[in-house]
Amino acid sequence: MHKTRERPEISVVIPCLNEQDNAAAIARAVTSELQKASDSFDIIFIDNGSTDATVEIIRRLCAEDPRIRLIVNTRNFGQMRSPTHALFQASGRAIIGIVADFQDPPEMIPEFIKRWRQGADVVLGVSETTRSSPLSRGLRTMSYALQRKFGDYPIIPHATGFGIYDARVVRAIAALNEPEPFFRGLLVETGFKIDTIPFRRPPRASGRSKNGFLALLDFALSGLAGSSKGLLRAPLYISFIVAVATLVTLAGAVYSIAVGMNPRMWMFATLLELQFGLLFLFLGLIGVQVRLISDRTRGTPLVIERERVNFPDEA
C-alpha cells in the first residue's frame, strides 16, 4: 500500500483539457520514469473544464493508485492560472511541470531530478525545434523581442515551463500573489538560478492542440502585460518625444514670424502636437497608477475547485 500522507520527494503536475486520449498513457509514462529516479512521488492532474471523459479516466487512475491525485476546476480558468494553481498545491520537495500530450518528453524526468539533487533550483527544458507556420514563428519571435524590450525580466525563449522547480522557488512565486501569473517570467523575477536542457519537441501524441493562434496570442499578450512595467510607461516616453517635436515646431513658428512669413501652419502643428503630448502624458500617468493599484490589491483566486481526489484531508 502506498503512503499518501507523507511529503513526497517529487510532485509532478499535469494540466488537462479534453485529454481523454492521453491521460492514462501520460500517467503510465510519468510513473515509469519517476520509479527509475525516486521512491517517493505523487502525480497531480488538474482538469480545466474538460467536456470529454478526461475526469472519469483520471478518477479511475486515482482509484488504482493513491499517488495519483486530481483537482477538477469549476470551469476553464485559462492556461496560466490553472497549471500554476496546481503547482502551488503540490507538496513535493521538488515539483515537475509537464503537459499531457507527450510534447514534453517524460524520458527527461530522471535527468531533471538528477540536476535538482545536484543543487539546481530550477531546470527547464528548452525546445530546439518547433513545427509551426511561418506566421506563428514570426509572431513568436516578435513576442520574445517585445519581452526583451519592455519586460521587467527576460524570459527564456522556447522554454514552456516543462522542467523541475525546487519547492522554495514555487513558494516564492506563490507569495507574489499574482492574479494572472506568467510563470516563466516569475521564475526569472524571483532571481533563482535557472539551468536549461535542450530537447527536440516531438509531435502531439493524440487529440487536438488547445493552443490555437488566438490562444497563443492571448497568452503572449497576457504574459507581456503581466511582466512589464515598462510597457505601461510607454505613453510617457511617447509624450517626451512629442514634447521635443512640439518645441521644434514652436521654434519654426518663431522663425517664420522673424522672417516675415505666415506662422499659421507652424502654430497649428504646435497646438496639435501639444494636445497629443498631454494626452500621452496623462495616459502614461494613469497606466503607472493602475499598475500600483494592481500591486496593492491582489487577492483574486487563481481557480475555483469543484472537486479533489486523493488529497490528504489537511490539504
Side-chain angles (χ1 to χ4, degrees), residues 143-163:
S143 173
Y144 289 136
L146 288 172
Q147 286 284 350
R148 286 193 300 271
K149 181 67 175 178
F150 295 105
D152 301 324
Y153 27 82
I155 64 172
I156 299 175
H158 307 297
T160 62
F162 173 45

Side-chain angles (χ1 to χ4, degrees), residues 11-167:
S11 291
V12 177
V13 168
I14 308 177
C16 286
L17 175 59
N18 295 332
E19 295 288 356
Q20 63 180 12
D21 296 328
N22 293 317
I26 193 66
R28 288 192 299 269
V30 168
T31 299
S32 175
E33 297 300 329
L34 286 169
Q35 288 173 336
K36 298 175 184 177
S38 177
D39 57 2
S40 174
F41 62 85
D42 64 2
I43 299 172
I44 301 173
F45 284 92
I46 183 164
D47 184 81
N48 202 24
S50 291
T51 56
D52 61 4
T54 299
V55 172
E56 289 73 18
I57 291 170
I58 299 174
R59 280 202 193 100
R60 289 198 294 270
L61 296 173
C62 292
E64 297 167 0
D65 188 343
R67 296 173 299 184
I68 299 178
R69 314 185 195 281
L70 170 64
I71 298 173
V72 182
N73 296 339
T74 56
R75 62 173 177 83
N76 187 330
F77 285 88
Q79 58 179 332
M80 289 200 297
R81 294 166 64 178
S82 182
T84 305
H85 176 73
L87 290 170
F88 293 166
Q89 307 312 303
S91 58
R93 292 193 289 115
I95 302 160
I96 295 173
I98 186 171
V99 296
D101 60 9
F102 287 91
Q103 289 195 296
D104 295 340
E107 296 80 14
M108 294 181 65
I109 287 176
E111 181 63 23
F112 285 150
I113 296 173
K114 177 183 175 182
R115 296 276 191 101
W116 169 69
R117 286 173 176 163
Q118 290 173 345
D121 295 318
V122 180
V123 184
L124 294 178
V126 177
S127 174
E128 291 182 327
T129 57
T130 303
R131 295 181 180 179
S132 58
S133 66
L135 176 61
S136 296
R137 287 196 299 271
L139 289 174
R140 188 176 288 110
T141 300
M142 183 176 66
S143 173
Y144 289 136
L146 288 172
Q147 286 284 350
R148 286 193 300 271
K149 181 67 175 178
F150 295 105
D152 301 324
Y153 27 82
I155 64 172
I156 299 175
H158 307 297
T160 62
F162 173 45
I164 189 168
Y165 322 107
D166 190 89

Side-chain angles (χ1 to χ4, degrees), residues 257-294:
I257 293 174
V259 298
M261 296 175 60
N262 189 339
R264 182 179 303 172
M265 293 305 297
W266 286 105
M267 294 301 297
F268 176 77
T270 300
L271 291 174
L272 188 63
E273 288 167 349
L274 180 62
Q275 291 178 20
F276 274 102
L278 290 174
L279 175 63
F280 280 108
L281 173 64
F282 284 105
L283 282 176
L285 292 174
I286 291 171
V288 172
Q289 289 298 316
V290 167
R291 177 71 188 217
L292 290 173
I293 292 170
S294 173

Side-chain angles (χ1 to χ4, degrees), residues 121-307:
D121 295 318
V122 180
V123 184
L124 294 178
V126 177
S127 174
E128 291 182 327
T129 57
T130 303
R131 295 181 180 179
S132 58
S133 66
L135 176 61
S136 296
R137 287 196 299 271
L139 289 174
R140 188 176 288 110
T141 300
M142 183 176 66
S143 173
Y144 289 136
L146 288 172
Q147 286 284 350
R148 286 193 300 271
K149 181 67 175 178
F150 295 105
D152 301 324
Y153 27 82
I155 64 172
I156 299 175
H158 307 297
T160 62
F162 173 45
I164 189 168
Y165 322 107
D166 190 89
R168 63 197 179 104
V169 177
V170 176
R171 287 196 300 269
I173 293 175
L176 297 175
N177 201 25
E178 283 282 355
E180 288 285 341
F182 182 52
F183 199 83
R184 284 179 285 164
L186 297 176
L187 281 174
V188 180
E189 182 182 7
T190 56
F192 289 98
K193 186 176 183 301
I194 300 176
D195 292 343
T196 60
I197 301 177
F199 73 98
R200 292 188 176 275
R201 192 160 214 196
R204 182 178 172 86
S206 61
R208 297 178 59 186
S209 173
K210 315 307 180 300
N211 292 329
F213 171 76
L214 292 178
L216 291 173
L217 179 61
D218 179 69
F219 186 76
L221 292 175
S222 296
L224 183 62
S227 64
S228 177
K229 296 183 181 72
L231 193 61
L232 286 174
R233 296 192 185 104
L236 292 175
Y237 305 145
I238 295 174
S239 70
F240 174 77
I241 295 172
V242 174
V244 173
T246 301
L247 292 175
V248 171
T249 54
L250 182 60
V254 172
Y255 175 78
S256 65
I257 293 174
V259 298
M261 296 175 60
N262 189 339
R264 182 179 303 172
M265 293 305 297
W266 286 105
M267 294 301 297
F268 176 77
T270 300
L271 291 174
L272 188 63
E273 288 167 349
L274 180 62
Q275 291 178 20
F276 274 102
L278 290 174
L279 175 63
F280 280 108
L281 173 64
F282 284 105
L283 282 176
L285 292 174
I286 291 171
V288 172
Q289 289 298 316
V290 167
R291 177 71 188 217
L292 290 173
I293 292 170
S294 173
D295 287 342
R296 293 167 182 167
T297 59
R298 292 170 178 172
T300 305
L302 295 180
V303 307
I304 298 175
E305 298 181 9
R306 184 190 305 280
E307 175 186 4

